[in-house]
Amino acid sequence: MNRINKVNLFTSLKDYMFIILGLFLYGLGFTAFILPHEIVIGGLTGVGTLVYFATNGFIPVAVTQYVCNLLLLSVAWRIVGKTFVLRTIFGATVISLAIGIFESIFMHLEHPLIPDVSMSAILGAILCGIGIGVTFVHNGSSGGTDIVAAMVSKRSNVSIGRTMIFTDMFIVSLSIFLPFDGDFESRITARVPVIVYGLVITFIVAYVTDMIINTNRQATQFIIFSSKWEEIANRVNQEAHRGVTVLDGEGWYSKQPVKILMVWCRKIESVTIFRIVKSIDENAFITQANVNGVYGKGFDTMKVKMKQKKLKQPEV
């Protein structure tokens, strides 16, 4: 096994370890701080929560979540591709396992770990957001809303966090229909605060997720100086699937001609570029800069309305 294969194997193992860590953080945040207060959140976890309370705890959240994930993946197969689906099956299995384990622990306690609903909800939301963010940074997926976000991102420039918000708000609102003993007015009085908590959690999770994975309009620009520029350019094309511009330059100190590589990529892909360069030339000189937007093939589409020219009236 050569050095490059060893590096790739180590990177893959590290990614899967962080994916597992991120998903278990999500499972901990949800089952320890959100579920005990009977708050319905977004995603398939929220769907599982609805079924859990509708059946009085007979059907575990993890079971409903896993079944729905498999159904969604069967629909998304052609849209997002085989690689994403296989990786998501792994993530969906791990997150269902994590929720199932923690649910059997924290839902059998006499009272929630943090009795105050507000603090418990905020802490749980932050843990869930960090967990999803860590999972995405390491090329993983937790399934559920992530599948919907991946399908939407194939057709538009809407961020993952924004897609999560729109999808999850609908799921959270369905908690108004959970079984309740009392008249309609009492149902509204009891359920609205829970819905508000669920919406707040949804926004916090989406915001923290976006902060972690840097899913926004900003992109990253790399300028790379290396004597092994050709090998780096080929690897960036083949592995990162990004274009490379090769410029001619001259080192003023050495008075020698040099090749300069310019690469633009999403922030989430910047780690991949660093890994490629480091595996080839550890002495390469690299500059990294954030740019407000990159528009064109492979990036964002310019959505600007052009002013229509007024037609001149013919002279009479």
Side-chain angles (χ1 to χ4, degrees):
M1 184 180 291
N2 57 39
R3 183 174 181 272
I4 293 178
N5 288 336
K6 287 182 179 179
V7 171
N8 291 336
L9 178 60
F10 174 77
T11 300
S12 297
L13 290 175
K14 186 175 71 172
D15 283 341
Y16 277 105
M17 288 178 62
F18 274 100
I19 289 171
I20 294 173
L21 174 63
L23 295 178
F24 267 79
L25 275 177
Y26 180 93
L28 176 64
F30 169 69
T31 55
F33 304 105
I34 297 174
L35 188 62
H37 292 285
E38 300 186 5
I39 299 174
V40 177
I41 64 173
L44 293 188
T45 306
V47 175
T49 306
L50 290 171
V51 174
Y52 177 79
F53 289 120
T55 60
N56 197 25
F58 178 74
I59 301 178
V61 176
V63 173
T64 303
Q65 183 184 30
Y66 194 63
V67 171
C68 291
N69 265 321
L70 295 180
L71 293 176
L72 263 180
L73 286 171
S74 65
V75 175
W77 178 275
R78 292 185 179 180
I79 299 176
V80 299
K82 179 180 178 181
T83 302
F84 178 86
V85 170
L86 293 177
R87 188 181 296 136
T88 305
I89 289 177
F90 172 78
T93 303
V94 173
I95 196 171
S96 295
L97 180 64
I99 290 177
I101 293 173
F102 289 128
E103 182 182 329
S104 63
I105 297 174
F106 294 106
M107 290 305 291
H108 290 85
L109 299 179
E110 294 182 0
H111 54 78
L113 290 179
I114 300 179
D116 183 74
V117 181
S118 299
M119 291 302 299
S120 185
I122 292 173
L123 181 57
I126 293 174
L127 285 176
C128 289
I130 293 174
I132 295 177
V134 170
T135 301
F136 264 81
V137 165
H138 292 275
N139 301 316
S141 173
S142 61
T145 307
D146 301 345
I147 303 173
V148 178
M151 289 190 289
V152 171
S153 66
K154 290 286 184 178
R155 299 288 185 265
S156 69
N157 296 323
V158 181
S159 72
I160 292 174
R162 190 179 302 175
T163 304
M164 289 169 60
I165 290 174
F166 291 140
T167 307
D168 296 348
M169 284 178 64
F170 174 73
I171 297 174
V172 172
S173 300
L174 292 178
S175 61
I176 193 73
F177 300 109
L178 286 175
F180 182 81
D181 295 330
D183 55 18
F184 181 76
E185 183 177 354
S186 300
R187 174 188 290 269
I188 295 297
T189 303
R191 292 298 181 197
V192 167
V194 177
I195 292 176
V196 171
Y197 278 119
L199 293 175
V200 170
I201 291 172
T202 299
F203 276 87
I204 294 176
V205 171
Y207 178 77
V208 174
T209 299
D210 270 353
M211 289 293 292
I212 296 294
I213 66 178
N214 296 313
T215 307
N216 49 37
R217 293 293 182 187
Q218 289 187 337
T220 301
Q221 173 183 284
F222 286 96
I223 298 178
I224 306 168
F225 298 82
S226 172
S227 59
K228 301 179 181 179
W229 61 272
E230 191 171 359
E231 186 178 354
I232 293 173
N234 289 332
R235 289 275 300 277
V236 170
N237 282 160
Q238 296 168 4
E239 297 181 18
H241 304 291
R242 285 298 178 189
V244 181
T245 300
V246 183
L247 305 176
D248 290 318
E250 181 180 348
W252 196 245
Y253 179 79
S254 63
K255 301 299 189 294
Q256 296 295 321
V258 294
K259 293 291 186 180
I260 305 169
L261 304 182
M262 295 187 67
V263 181
W264 290 271
C265 67
R266 301 286 188 188
K267 276 190 172 182
I268 194 174
E269 298 169 327
S270 60
V271 176
T272 302
I273 303 297
F274 271 117
R275 286 173 175 172
I276 291 173
V277 176
K278 185 177 180 180
S279 66
I280 298 173
D281 184 4
E282 293 185 353
N283 297 319
F285 186 82
I286 309 173
T287 66
Q288 178 186 8
N290 294 328
V291 291
N292 289 330
V294 177
Y295 300 93
K297 188 175 181 180
F299 290 91
D300 298 327
T301 303
M302 290 184 290
K303 298 179 180 179
V304 180
K305 292 183 178 179
M306 303 298 294
K307 292 183 178 180
Q308 295 181 352
K309 294 183 178 180
K310 294 182 179 180
L311 297 177
K312 292 183 179 181
Q313 297 295 332
E315 295 181 0
V316 179

